Each structure stands twice: as structure tokens, then as C-alpha cells.
């Protein structure tokens, strides 16, 4: 399965600032996703990162707040903009393949605390 | 109704016990099913895929019932190290879109 490098692993940020999280995969993958997991909760899909086009956002998430880039098949970024304490969460990059297995693999996550 | 539902637990069992988790899904067109394990402060990791014929991996057995739209995970001879959250994942591929949906997870605590 793909090996994912996600950074930063954690950060503490001030209210009103923005943070960009990077996700690097060791192989070309068809699909890349960004998830949020708040304390004690399950994963919530933020968006699907599409290579060469705008990301597809889930209900409740908008591009202005969570701009996403995916310049190629191995790399994506998620920016959390104009942060507030409610954005404190773990953000996870995930990749999947249209293969028979259809397995999702996750990065180690980025733990964000907004003061 | 949520698309993928799991009993959040926690399930608190002694070592050696057998424990079973169920997960129901609402989209009958779903095609792939998995159980993931998530340890505290870690990312989810694939535990096993789930097939209609059932599959077994050591102490773990997973089963899919398409007619009733549920999947199950059975853990035999529980170990302390099995303590974690178990996530049910359902994948639907439709119109070129790959749509993974997670259950909220079931917490398992195995005690001495």
C-alpha cells in the first residue's frame, strides 16, 4: 500500500491565522481525501482533492475556509484559513485506488490546536 | 438515518472473551467494506476487508450480509492489545466517484 508523509504532525496556532498541511505520497494515486477528526468523534470527510481541478467539498465545508491544492498525483495540501478554536482537530490525509481492493490508507494526521 | 451506523460502545470485556461488533449501512449499491482499527491519537489502519463469503485472520472474523446490509467483526480470545476503536468503512463507487463513508467507531476495552 501507499506510504503517506503528512506534515506538520502538530501545531499550535493563533486565532485568525492560517495553516497549510501537506500530504506527500510515495506513488501516484487516483484519489486523495482530506478528513477531520474532532476529539472523541469519527472521521468527517472535508473534501476530495482532484488532480488539476477544484476539490469536491462535502456539505458544511467551503473552499474559502479549506482551500485545497493537488498539483499532481502524489501531492496535496489543505489550508485551514482564518482559524478559530473550533478548528482545533486532527486533520488526516487519505489515499485510495480504483483497484480491486479499494483500500484507503491514511497519513499519520496533523493535530491542530487553535488558541 | 446515518449512512453507516455502529454502536459506539464502549465494550468492556475481560481478556479471553469473544466480542462481536455490527455495522449497518443504508446504501445498497455499496461495493467494498472494511474494518479499520484506530488507536488513541493514531491514524486509522486497515484491519481487514469484508467479503460476503466471510474472511478470517487469526482471531478476527469478518462477515458481510448484503441482504440485511450489515457487516460484522468477531474477535475471539481478546487480548489487552485489542483495546482500540474499530471503524466500519463502506465504499461506494458511482458515476466515477469513489465515496468512502465511515461509521463513528466502536470502542473496545479489554481488561485483565
Amino acid at each position: 500500500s501507499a506510504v503517506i508523509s503528512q506534515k506538520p504532525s502538530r501545531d499550535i496556532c493563533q486565532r485568525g491565522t492560517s495553516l497549510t498541511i501537506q500530504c506527500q505520497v510515495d506513488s501516484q494515486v487516483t484519489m486523495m481525501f482530506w478528513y477531520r477528526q474532532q476529539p472523541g468523534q469519527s472521521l468527517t470527510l472535508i473534501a476530495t482533492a482532484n488532480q488539476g481541478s477544484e476539490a469536491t467539498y462535502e456539505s458544511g465545508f467551503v473552499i474559502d475556509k479549506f482551500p485545497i491544492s493537488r498539483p499532481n498525483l502524489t501531492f496535496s495540501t489543505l489550508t485551514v484559513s482564518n482559524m478559530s478554536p473550533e478548528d482545533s482537530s486532527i486533520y488526516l490525509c487519505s489515499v485510495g485506488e480504483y483497484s480491486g481492493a479499494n483500500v484507503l490508507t491514511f497519513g499519520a494526521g496533523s493535530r491542530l490546536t487553535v488558541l | 438515518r446515518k449512512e453507516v451506523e455502529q454502536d459506539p460502545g464502549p465494550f468492556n470485556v475481560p481478556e479471553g472473551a469473544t466480542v462481536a461488533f455490527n455495522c449497518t449501512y443504508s446504501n445498497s449499491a455499496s461495493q467494498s467494506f472494511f474494518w479499520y482499527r484506530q488507536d488513541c491519537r493514531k491514524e486509522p489502519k486497515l484491519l481487514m476487508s469484508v467479503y460476503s463469503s466471510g474472511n478470517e485472520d487469526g482471531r478476527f472474523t469478518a462477515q458481510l450480509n448484503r441482504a440485511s446490509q450489515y457487516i460484522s467483526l468477531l474477535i475471539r480470545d481478546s487480548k489487552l492489545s485489542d483495546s482500540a476503536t474499530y471503524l466500519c468503512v463502506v465504499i461506494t463507487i458511482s458515476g466515477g466517484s469513489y465515496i468512502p463513508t465511515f461509521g463513528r467507531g466502536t470502542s473496545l476495552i479489554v481488561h485483565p
Side-chain angles (χ1 to χ4, degrees):
Chain A
S1 61
V3 176
I4 301 171
S5 174
Q6 188 175 336
K7 58 181 181 181
S9 58
R10 59 178 64 235
D11 209 338
I12 300 173
C13 302
Q14 295 295 325
R15 181 196 301 259
T17 62
S18 298
L19 176 73
T20 296
I21 302 167
Q22 298 182 3
C23 178
Q24 178 75 54
V25 191
D26 69 342
S27 59
Q28 294 186 338
V29 292
T30 308
M31 292 154 295
M32 296 181 79
F33 306 94
W34 286 98
Y35 286 87
R36 181 172 73 183
Q37 187 173 33
Q38 296 181 309
Q41 303 296 315
S42 188
L43 289 86
T44 301
L45 181 63
I46 297 171
T48 302
N50 301 310
Q51 192 260 330
S53 64
E54 193 172 286
T56 304
Y57 289 85
E58 298 299 306
S59 176
F61 297 97
V62 295
I63 188 171
D64 290 345
K65 176 67 176 176
F66 297 101
I68 288 171
S69 78
R70 189 171 176 198
N72 55 52
L73 293 177
T74 63
F75 185 77
S76 178
T77 66
L78 168 74
T79 299
V80 186
S81 303
N82 188 25
M83 289 183 286
S84 67
E86 292 71 35
D87 294 321
S88 298
S89 187
I90 299 173
Y91 292 85
L92 293 146
C93 167
S94 175
V95 303
E97 283 295 341
Y98 268 123
S99 67
N102 288 329
V103 172
L104 280 176
T105 305
F106 287 86
S110 300
R111 183 178 298 274
L112 172 63
T113 302
V114 184
L115 304 177
Chain B
R1 179 185 172 193
K2 291 187 177 179
E3 292 185 47
V4 178
E5 295 203 53
Q6 290 181 252
D7 181 344
F11 286 66
N12 199 324
V13 304
E15 272 187 290
T18 296
V19 61
F21 307 139
N22 286 330
C23 168
T24 60
Y25 61 96
S26 61
N27 188 343
S28 60
S30 297
Q31 296 167 302
S32 301
F33 308 87
F34 304 94
W35 284 102
Y36 277 72
R37 170 189 170 134
Q38 186 173 27
D39 292 287
C40 187
R41 295 178 174 266
K42 299 287 188 182
E43 73 275 21
K45 292 187 177 177
L46 179 66
L47 177 66
M48 58 197 307
S49 303
V50 189
Y51 307 113
S52 297
S53 56
N55 51 309
E56 187 173 313
D57 182 4
R59 298 180 293 107
F60 299 83
T61 300
Q63 189 78 47
L64 165 65
N65 185 319
R66 286 191 180 272
S68 301
Q69 295 181 203
Y70 78 83
I71 69 174
S72 63
L73 177 67
L74 181 76
I75 305 175
R76 291 179 298 277
D77 188 23
S78 299
K79 311 294 184 188
L80 296 177
S81 57
D82 293 334
S83 299
T85 297
Y86 292 83
L87 299 164
C88 167
V89 184
V90 174
I91 295 179
T92 305
I93 300 176
S94 174
S97 295
Y98 174 107
I99 306 168
T101 306
F102 283 78
R104 62 178 296 183
T106 298
S107 295
L108 172 64
I109 302 169
V110 182
H111 60 82

